[in-house]
PDB file of all heavy atoms in Angstrom:
ATOM      1  N   SER A 135      -2.588  -9.898  23.899  1.00 92.00           N
ATOM      2  CA  SER A 135      -1.754  -9.912  22.697  1.00 92.00           C
ATOM      3  C   SER A 135      -2.526  -9.568  21.421  1.00 92.00           C
ATOM      4  O   SER A 135      -1.912  -9.354  20.374  1.00 92.00           O
ATOM      5  CB  SER A 135      -1.083 -11.271  22.529  1.00 92.00           C
ATOM      6  OG  SER A 135      -2.044 -12.290  22.279  1.00 92.00           O
ATOM      7  N   LEU A 136      -3.846  -9.540  21.487  1.00 92.00           N
ATOM      8  CA  LEU A 136      -4.635  -9.197  20.308  1.00 92.00           C
ATOM      9  C   LEU A 136      -4.379  -7.750  19.902  1.00 92.00           C
ATOM     10  O   LEU A 136      -4.454  -6.850  20.733  1.00 92.00           O
ATOM     11  CB  LEU A 136      -6.137  -9.381  20.581  1.00 92.00           C
ATOM     12  CG  LEU A 136      -6.700 -10.804  20.608  1.00 92.00           C
ATOM     13  CD1 LEU A 136      -8.193 -10.762  20.915  1.00 92.00           C
ATOM     14  CD2 LEU A 136      -6.470 -11.513  19.283  1.00 92.00           C
ATOM     15  N   PRO A 137      -4.071  -7.514  18.636  1.00 90.00           N
ATOM     16  CA  PRO A 137      -3.912  -6.125  18.188  1.00 90.00           C
ATOM     17  C   PRO A 137      -5.265  -5.413  18.183  1.00 90.00           C
ATOM     18  O   PRO A 137      -6.312  -6.050  18.088  1.00 90.00           O
ATOM     19  CB  PRO A 137      -3.357  -6.271  16.774  1.00 90.00           C
ATOM     20  CG  PRO A 137      -3.843  -7.616  16.317  1.00 90.00           C
ATOM     21  CD  PRO A 137      -3.899  -8.480  17.539  1.00 90.00           C
ATOM     22  N   SER A 138      -5.220  -4.101  18.284  1.00 90.00           N
ATOM     23  CA  SER A 138      -6.479  -3.361  18.262  1.00 90.00           C
ATOM     24  C   SER A 138      -7.028  -3.300  16.835  1.00 90.00           C
ATOM     25  O   SER A 138      -6.266  -3.328  15.860  1.00 90.00           O
ATOM     26  CB  SER A 138      -6.285  -1.945  18.803  1.00 90.00           C
ATOM     27  OG  SER A 138      -5.554  -1.160  17.883  1.00 90.00           O
ATOM     28  N   LYS A 139      -8.335  -3.227  16.737  1.00 89.00           N
ATOM     29  CA  LYS A 139      -8.977  -3.126  15.431  1.00 89.00           C
ATOM     30  C   LYS A 139      -8.510  -1.878  14.693  1.00 89.00           C
ATOM     31  O   LYS A 139      -8.237  -1.918  13.484  1.00 89.00           O
ATOM     32  CB  LYS A 139     -10.496  -3.101  15.614  1.00 89.00           C
ATOM     33  CG  LYS A 139     -11.269  -3.065  14.304  1.00 89.00           C
ATOM     34  CD  LYS A 139     -12.763  -3.067  14.556  1.00 89.00           C
ATOM     35  CE  LYS A 139     -13.539  -3.029  13.245  1.00 89.00           C
ATOM     36  NZ  LYS A 139     -15.009  -2.992  13.480  1.00 89.00           N
ATOM     37  N   GLN A 140      -8.376  -0.773  15.435  1.00 92.00           N
ATOM     38  CA  GLN A 140      -7.979   0.493  14.823  1.00 92.00           C
ATOM     39  C   GLN A 140      -6.569   0.420  14.255  1.00 92.00           C
ATOM     40  O   GLN A 140      -6.307   0.904  13.147  1.00 92.00           O
ATOM     41  CB  GLN A 140      -8.062   1.625  15.858  1.00 92.00           C
ATOM     42  CG  GLN A 140      -7.886   3.033  15.257  1.00 92.00           C
ATOM     43  CD  GLN A 140      -8.938   3.359  14.235  1.00 92.00           C
ATOM     44  OE1 GLN A 140     -10.135   3.280  14.516  1.00 92.00           O
ATOM     45  NE2 GLN A 140      -8.527   3.729  13.022  1.00 92.00           N
ATOM     46  N   SER A 141      -5.637  -0.202  15.004  1.00 92.00           N
ATOM     47  CA  SER A 141      -4.255  -0.282  14.524  1.00 92.00           C
ATOM     48  C   SER A 141      -4.161  -1.131  13.267  1.00 92.00           C
ATOM     49  O   SER A 141      -3.389  -0.817  12.345  1.00 92.00           O
ATOM     50  CB  SER A 141      -3.350  -0.852  15.621  1.00 92.00           C
ATOM     51  OG  SER A 141      -3.658  -2.213  15.884  1.00 92.00           O
ATOM     52  N   LEU A 142      -4.941  -2.203  13.185  1.00 92.00           N
ATOM     53  CA  LEU A 142      -4.966  -3.042  11.985  1.00 92.00           C
ATOM     54  C   LEU A 142      -5.523  -2.273  10.791  1.00 92.00           C
ATOM     55  O   LEU A 142      -4.985  -2.359   9.675  1.00 92.00           O
ATOM     56  CB  LEU A 142      -5.798  -4.301  12.235  1.00 92.00           C
ATOM     57  CG  LEU A 142      -5.190  -5.361  13.150  1.00 92.00           C
ATOM     58  CD1 LEU A 142      -6.221  -6.436  13.462  1.00 92.00           C
ATOM     59  CD2 LEU A 142      -3.959  -5.989  12.518  1.00 92.00           C
ATOM     60  N   GLU A 143      -6.580  -1.534  11.019  1.00 92.00           N
ATOM     61  CA  GLU A 143      -7.182  -0.750   9.944  1.00 92.00           C
ATOM     62  C   GLU A 143      -6.243   0.351   9.476  1.00 92.00           C
ATOM     63  O   GLU A 143      -6.147   0.637   8.268  1.00 92.00           O
ATOM     64  CB  GLU A 143      -8.521  -0.174  10.404  1.00 92.00           C
ATOM     65  CG  GLU A 143      -9.619  -1.229  10.546  1.00 92.00           C
ATOM     66  CD  GLU A 143     -10.927  -0.656  11.057  1.00 92.00           C
ATOM     67  OE1 GLU A 143     -10.891   0.473  11.623  1.00 92.00           O
ATOM     68  OE2 GLU A 143     -11.974  -1.320  10.912  1.00 92.00           O
ATOM     69  N   ASN A 144      -5.531   0.988  10.406  1.00 94.00           N
ATOM     70  CA  ASN A 144      -4.568   2.033  10.039  1.00 94.00           C
ATOM     71  C   ASN A 144      -3.435   1.453   9.192  1.00 94.00           C
ATOM     72  O   ASN A 144      -3.006   2.058   8.197  1.00 94.00           O
ATOM     73  CB  ASN A 144      -3.990   2.701  11.287  1.00 94.00           C
ATOM     74  CG  ASN A 144      -5.014   3.560  12.017  1.00 94.00           C
ATOM     75  OD1 ASN A 144      -6.048   3.933  11.449  1.00 94.00           O
ATOM     76  ND2 ASN A 144      -4.748   3.874  13.281  1.00 94.00           N
ATOM     77  N   THR A 145      -2.936   0.266   9.601  1.00 93.00           N
ATOM     78  CA  THR A 145      -1.867  -0.399   8.841  1.00 93.00           C
ATOM     79  C   THR A 145      -2.351  -0.775   7.447  1.00 93.00           C
ATOM     80  O   THR A 145      -1.628  -0.623   6.459  1.00 93.00           O
ATOM     81  CB  THR A 145      -1.379  -1.654   9.587  1.00 93.00           C
ATOM     82  OG1 THR A 145      -0.928  -1.296  10.885  1.00 93.00           O
ATOM     83  CG2 THR A 145      -0.231  -2.317   8.839  1.00 93.00           C
ATOM     84  N   ALA A 146      -3.589  -1.276   7.393  1.00 93.00           N
ATOM     85  CA  ALA A 146      -4.176  -1.649   6.102  1.00 93.00           C
ATOM     86  C   ALA A 146      -4.331  -0.424   5.198  1.00 93.00           C
ATOM     87  O   ALA A 146      -4.045  -0.497   3.980  1.00 93.00           O
ATOM     88  CB  ALA A 146      -5.526  -2.321   6.313  1.00 93.00           C
ATOM     89  N   ASP A 147      -4.755   0.694   5.751  1.00 94.00           N
ATOM     90  CA  ASP A 147      -4.929   1.926   4.968  1.00 94.00           C
ATOM     91  C   ASP A 147      -3.593   2.403   4.407  1.00 94.00           C
ATOM     92  O   ASP A 147      -3.498   2.801   3.233  1.00 94.00           O
ATOM     93  CB  ASP A 147      -5.546   3.031   5.835  1.00 94.00           C
ATOM     94  CG  ASP A 147      -7.015   2.769   6.169  1.00 94.00           C
ATOM     95  OD1 ASP A 147      -7.640   1.924   5.471  1.00 94.00           O
ATOM     96  OD2 ASP A 147      -7.535   3.396   7.114  1.00 94.00           O
ATOM     97  N   ALA A 148      -2.557   2.371   5.248  1.00 93.00           N
ATOM     98  CA  ALA A 148      -1.228   2.811   4.813  1.00 93.00           C
ATOM     99  C   ALA A 148      -0.695   1.894   3.712  1.00 93.00           C
ATOM    100  O   ALA A 148      -0.089   2.365   2.729  1.00 93.00           O
ATOM    101  CB  ALA A 148      -0.273   2.841   5.997  1.00 93.00           C
ATOM    102  N   LEU A 149      -0.913   0.603   3.853  1.00 94.00           N
ATOM    103  CA  LEU A 149      -0.448  -0.359   2.861  1.00 94.00           C
ATOM    104  C   LEU A 149      -1.205  -0.198   1.546  1.00 94.00           C
ATOM    105  O   LEU A 149      -0.615  -0.306   0.462  1.00 94.00           O
ATOM    106  CB  LEU A 149      -0.637  -1.775   3.413  1.00 94.00           C
ATOM    107  CG  LEU A 149       0.213  -2.884   2.802  1.00 94.00           C
ATOM    108  CD1 LEU A 149       1.703  -2.577   2.938  1.00 94.00           C
ATOM    109  CD2 LEU A 149      -0.087  -4.220   3.500  1.00 94.00           C
ATOM    110  N   PHE A 150      -2.506   0.051   1.665  1.00 95.00           N
ATOM    111  CA  PHE A 150      -3.319   0.254   0.464  1.00 95.00           C
ATOM    112  C   PHE A 150      -2.860   1.492  -0.297  1.00 95.00           C
ATOM    113  O   PHE A 150      -2.820   1.498  -1.542  1.00 95.00           O
ATOM    114  CB  PHE A 150      -4.792   0.390   0.850  1.00 95.00           C
ATOM    115  CG  PHE A 150      -5.717   0.518  -0.319  1.00 95.00           C
ATOM    116  CD1 PHE A 150      -6.122  -0.610  -1.037  1.00 95.00           C
ATOM    117  CD2 PHE A 150      -6.175   1.770  -0.742  1.00 95.00           C
ATOM    118  CE1 PHE A 150      -6.969  -0.497  -2.135  1.00 95.00           C
ATOM    119  CE2 PHE A 150      -7.023   1.880  -1.836  1.00 95.00           C
ATOM    120  CZ  PHE A 150      -7.421   0.751  -2.533  1.00 95.00           C
ATOM    121  N   LYS A 151      -2.488   2.520   0.438  1.00 94.00           N
ATOM    122  CA  LYS A 151      -2.005   3.754  -0.181  1.00 94.00           C
ATOM    123  C   LYS A 151      -0.711   3.506  -0.947  1.00 94.00           C
ATOM    124  O   LYS A 151      -0.550   3.968  -2.087  1.00 94.00           O
ATOM    125  CB  LYS A 151      -1.796   4.814   0.904  1.00 94.00           C
ATOM    126  CG  LYS A 151      -1.503   6.211   0.368  1.00 94.00           C
ATOM    127  CD  LYS A 151      -1.448   7.202   1.536  1.00 94.00           C
ATOM    128  CE  LYS A 151      -1.245   8.621   1.012  1.00 94.00           C
ATOM    129  NZ  LYS A 151      -1.243   9.611   2.115  1.00 94.00           N
ATOM    130  N   GLN A 152       0.207   2.746  -0.338  1.00 93.00           N
ATOM    131  CA  GLN A 152       1.462   2.420  -0.998  1.00 93.00           C
ATOM    132  C   GLN A 152       1.235   1.559  -2.241  1.00 93.00           C
ATOM    133  O   GLN A 152       1.832   1.808  -3.302  1.00 93.00           O
ATOM    134  CB  GLN A 152       2.397   1.693  -0.026  1.00 93.00           C
ATOM    135  CG  GLN A 152       3.010   2.584   1.047  1.00 93.00           C
ATOM    136  CD  GLN A 152       4.024   1.817   1.865  1.00 93.00           C
ATOM    137  OE1 GLN A 152       3.733   0.744   2.369  1.00 93.00           O
ATOM    138  NE2 GLN A 152       5.209   2.373   2.015  1.00 93.00           N
ATOM    139  N   ALA A 153       0.357   0.557  -2.102  1.00 94.00           N
ATOM    140  CA  ALA A 153       0.071  -0.328  -3.228  1.00 94.00           C
ATOM    141  C   ALA A 153      -0.560   0.449  -4.379  1.00 94.00           C
ATOM    142  O   ALA A 153      -0.220   0.232  -5.554  1.00 94.00           O
ATOM    143  CB  ALA A 153      -0.853  -1.460  -2.782  1.00 94.00           C
ATOM    144  N   SER A 154      -1.462   1.354  -4.040  1.00 95.00           N
ATOM    145  CA  SER A 154      -2.123   2.169  -5.063  1.00 95.00           C
ATOM    146  C   SER A 154      -1.129   3.074  -5.778  1.00 95.00           C
ATOM    147  O   SER A 154      -1.203   3.266  -7.006  1.00 95.00           O
ATOM    148  CB  SER A 154      -3.235   3.010  -4.421  1.00 95.00           C
ATOM    149  OG  SER A 154      -4.230   2.181  -3.839  1.00 95.00           O
ATOM    150  N   ALA A 155      -0.200   3.656  -4.994  1.00 94.00           N
ATOM    151  CA  ALA A 155       0.820   4.523  -5.586  1.00 94.00           C
ATOM    152  C   ALA A 155       1.699   3.733  -6.547  1.00 94.00           C
ATOM    153  O   ALA A 155       2.009   4.215  -7.656  1.00 94.00           O
ATOM    154  CB  ALA A 155       1.659   5.157  -4.482  1.00 94.00           C
ATOM    155  N   LEU A 156       2.107   2.534  -6.129  1.00 94.00           N
ATOM    156  CA  LEU A 156       2.918   1.700  -7.015  1.00 94.00           C
ATOM    157  C   LEU A 156       2.162   1.344  -8.285  1.00 94.00           C
ATOM    158  O   LEU A 156       2.686   1.469  -9.398  1.00 94.00           O
ATOM    159  CB  LEU A 156       3.331   0.413  -6.289  1.00 94.00           C
ATOM    160  CG  LEU A 156       4.576   0.441  -5.417  1.00 94.00           C
ATOM    161  CD1 LEU A 156       4.772  -0.912  -4.756  1.00 94.00           C
ATOM    162  CD2 LEU A 156       5.814   0.807  -6.246  1.00 94.00           C
ATOM    163  N   TRP A 157       0.936   0.862  -8.091  1.00 95.00           N
ATOM    164  CA  TRP A 157       0.147   0.392  -9.232  1.00 95.00           C
ATOM    165  C   TRP A 157      -0.119   1.517 -10.234  1.00 95.00           C
ATOM    166  O   TRP A 157      -0.105   1.292 -11.440  1.00 95.00           O
ATOM    167  CB  TRP A 157      -1.175  -0.203  -8.739  1.00 95.00           C
ATOM    168  CG  TRP A 157      -1.873  -1.013  -9.783  1.00 95.00           C
ATOM    169  CD1 TRP A 157      -2.898  -0.630 -10.592  1.00 95.00           C
ATOM    170  CD2 TRP A 157      -1.563  -2.353 -10.160  1.00 95.00           C
ATOM    171  NE1 TRP A 157      -3.251  -1.655 -11.438  1.00 95.00           N
ATOM    172  CE2 TRP A 157      -2.431  -2.729 -11.192  1.00 95.00           C
ATOM    173  CE3 TRP A 157      -0.601  -3.284  -9.701  1.00 95.00           C
ATOM    174  CZ2 TRP A 157      -2.400  -3.985 -11.780  1.00 95.00           C
ATOM    175  CZ3 TRP A 157      -0.571  -4.535 -10.298  1.00 95.00           C
ATOM    176  CH2 TRP A 157      -1.471  -4.876 -11.319  1.00 95.00           C
ATOM    177  N   GLY A 158      -0.347   2.700  -9.707  1.00 93.00           N
ATOM    178  CA  GLY A 158      -0.641   3.836 -10.589  1.00 93.00           C
ATOM    179  C   GLY A 158       0.571   4.376 -11.324  1.00 93.00           C
ATOM    180  O   GLY A 158       0.418   5.190 -12.252  1.00 93.00           O
ATOM    181  N   ASN A 159       1.745   3.964 -10.903  1.00 94.00           N
ATOM    182  CA  ASN A 159       2.960   4.474 -11.526  1.00 94.00           C
ATOM    183  C   ASN A 159       3.821   3.379 -12.161  1.00 94.00           C
ATOM    184  O   ASN A 159       4.999   3.616 -12.448  1.00 94.00           O
ATOM    185  CB  ASN A 159       3.794   5.243 -10.493  1.00 94.00           C
ATOM    186  CG  ASN A 159       3.167   6.571 -10.105  1.00 94.00           C
ATOM    187  OD1 ASN A 159       3.348   7.592 -10.782  1.00 94.00           O
ATOM    188  ND2 ASN A 159       2.398   6.556  -9.013  1.00 94.00           N
ATOM    189  N   LEU A 160       3.235   2.198 -12.358  1.00 94.00           N
ATOM    190  CA  LEU A 160       4.005   1.102 -12.942  1.00 94.00           C
ATOM    191  C   LEU A 160       4.576   1.462 -14.314  1.00 94.00           C
ATOM    192  O   LEU A 160       5.679   1.002 -14.671  1.00 94.00           O
ATOM    193  CB  LEU A 160       3.134  -0.159 -13.058  1.00 94.00           C
ATOM    194  CG  LEU A 160       2.851  -0.927 -11.764  1.00 94.00           C
ATOM    195  CD1 LEU A 160       1.938  -2.127 -12.043  1.00 94.00           C
ATOM    196  CD2 LEU A 160       4.141  -1.409 -11.104  1.00 94.00           C
ATOM    197  N   TYR A 161       3.822   2.263 -15.057  1.00 91.00           N
ATOM    198  CA  TYR A 161       4.279   2.604 -16.407  1.00 91.00           C
ATOM    199  C   TYR A 161       5.540   3.466 -16.387  1.00 91.00           C
ATOM    200  O   TYR A 161       6.251   3.572 -17.400  1.00 91.00           O
ATOM    201  CB  TYR A 161       3.160   3.310 -17.186  1.00 91.00           C
ATOM    202  CG  TYR A 161       2.837   4.705 -16.701  1.00 91.00           C
ATOM    203  CD1 TYR A 161       3.356   5.819 -17.347  1.00 91.00           C
ATOM    204  CD2 TYR A 161       2.027   4.907 -15.588  1.00 91.00           C
ATOM    205  CE1 TYR A 161       3.077   7.113 -16.902  1.00 91.00           C
ATOM    206  CE2 TYR A 161       1.728   6.177 -15.144  1.00 91.00           C
ATOM    207  CZ  TYR A 161       2.257   7.275 -15.810  1.00 91.00           C
ATOM    208  OH  TYR A 161       1.962   8.549 -15.389  1.00 91.00           O
ATOM    209  N   LEU A 162       5.817   4.104 -15.244  1.00 90.00           N
ATOM    210  CA  LEU A 162       6.995   4.939 -15.126  1.00 90.00           C
ATOM    211  C   LEU A 162       8.183   4.200 -14.516  1.00 90.00           C
ATOM    212  O   LEU A 162       9.310   4.708 -14.547  1.00 90.00           O
ATOM    213  CB  LEU A 162       6.690   6.176 -14.265  1.00 90.00           C
ATOM    214  CG  LEU A 162       5.647   7.150 -14.797  1.00 90.00           C
ATOM    215  CD1 LEU A 162       5.359   8.232 -13.755  1.00 90.00           C
ATOM    216  CD2 LEU A 162       6.144   7.794 -16.110  1.00 90.00           C
ATOM    217  N   LEU A 163       7.906   3.035 -13.921  1.00 91.00           N
ATOM    218  CA  LEU A 163       8.939   2.313 -13.178  1.00 91.00           C
ATOM    219  C   LEU A 163       9.499   1.142 -13.977  1.00 91.00           C
ATOM    220  O   LEU A 163       8.787   0.516 -14.766  1.00 91.00           O
ATOM    221  CB  LEU A 163       8.374   1.792 -11.852  1.00 91.00           C
ATOM    222  CG  LEU A 163       7.843   2.848 -10.875  1.00 91.00           C
ATOM    223  CD1 LEU A 163       7.088   2.178  -9.726  1.00 91.00           C
ATOM    224  CD2 LEU A 163       8.992   3.697 -10.334  1.00 91.00           C
ATOM    225  N   LYS A 164      10.795   0.877 -13.780  1.00 92.00           N
ATOM    226  CA  LYS A 164      11.451  -0.269 -14.386  1.00 92.00           C
ATOM    227  C   LYS A 164      11.347  -1.472 -13.429  1.00 92.00           C
ATOM    228  O   LYS A 164      11.310  -1.302 -12.212  1.00 92.00           O
ATOM    229  CB  LYS A 164      12.924   0.031 -14.683  1.00 92.00           C
ATOM    230  CG  LYS A 164      13.152   1.288 -15.505  1.00 92.00           C
ATOM    231  CD  LYS A 164      12.545   1.142 -16.909  1.00 92.00           C
ATOM    232  CE  LYS A 164      12.898   2.401 -17.747  1.00 92.00           C
ATOM    233  NZ  LYS A 164      12.254   2.318 -19.097  1.00 92.00           N
ATOM    234  N   ASP A 165      11.316  -2.682 -13.995  1.00 92.00           N
ATOM    235  CA  ASP A 165      11.207  -3.891 -13.162  1.00 92.00           C
ATOM    236  C   ASP A 165      12.364  -4.043 -12.193  1.00 92.00           C
ATOM    237  O   ASP A 165      12.214  -4.646 -11.129  1.00 92.00           O
ATOM    238  CB  ASP A 165      11.124  -5.134 -14.048  1.00 92.00           C
ATOM    239  CG  ASP A 165       9.737  -5.327 -14.650  1.00 92.00           C
ATOM    240  OD1 ASP A 165       8.804  -4.612 -14.224  1.00 92.00           O
ATOM    241  OD2 ASP A 165       9.595  -6.210 -15.522  1.00 92.00           O
ATOM    242  N   TYR A 166      13.507  -3.527 -12.542  1.00 94.00           N
ATOM    243  CA  TYR A 166      14.686  -3.696 -11.697  1.00 94.00           C
ATOM    244  C   TYR A 166      14.795  -2.639 -10.617  1.00 94.00           C
ATOM    245  O   TYR A 166      15.641  -2.736  -9.711  1.00 94.00           O
ATOM    246  CB  TYR A 166      15.955  -3.694 -12.549  1.00 94.00           C
ATOM    247  CG  TYR A 166      16.163  -2.435 -13.362  1.00 94.00           C
ATOM    248  CD1 TYR A 166      16.694  -1.277 -12.798  1.00 94.00           C
ATOM    249  CD2 TYR A 166      15.844  -2.410 -14.718  1.00 94.00           C
ATOM    250  CE1 TYR A 166      16.883  -0.124 -13.558  1.00 94.00           C
ATOM    251  CE2 TYR A 166      16.009  -1.261 -15.480  1.00 94.00           C
ATOM    252  CZ  TYR A 166      16.549  -0.131 -14.880  1.00 94.00           C
ATOM    253  OH  TYR A 166      16.707   1.009 -15.647  1.00 94.00           O
TER     254      TYR A 166
END
């Protein structure tokens, strides 16, 4: 049942990319 190290790292990379995109565009986005 242990996830693979690679799959965890891939998920983390994808999440980091999304978080970075959001953070870099906060000035363009409304809170709602």
Side-chain angles (χ1 to χ4, degrees):
S135 66
L136 284 179
S138 71
K139 183 179 180 182
Q140 189 61 55
S141 67
L142 288 171
E143 289 178 342
N144 290 342
T145 302
D147 289 343
L149 202 58
F150 184 80
K151 189 175 184 178
Q152 287 186 308
S154 298
L156 275 178
W157 195 261
N159 289 276
L160 285 178
Y161 70 99
L162 297 174
L163 300 170
K164 307 296 184 183
D165 282 350
Y166 59 81

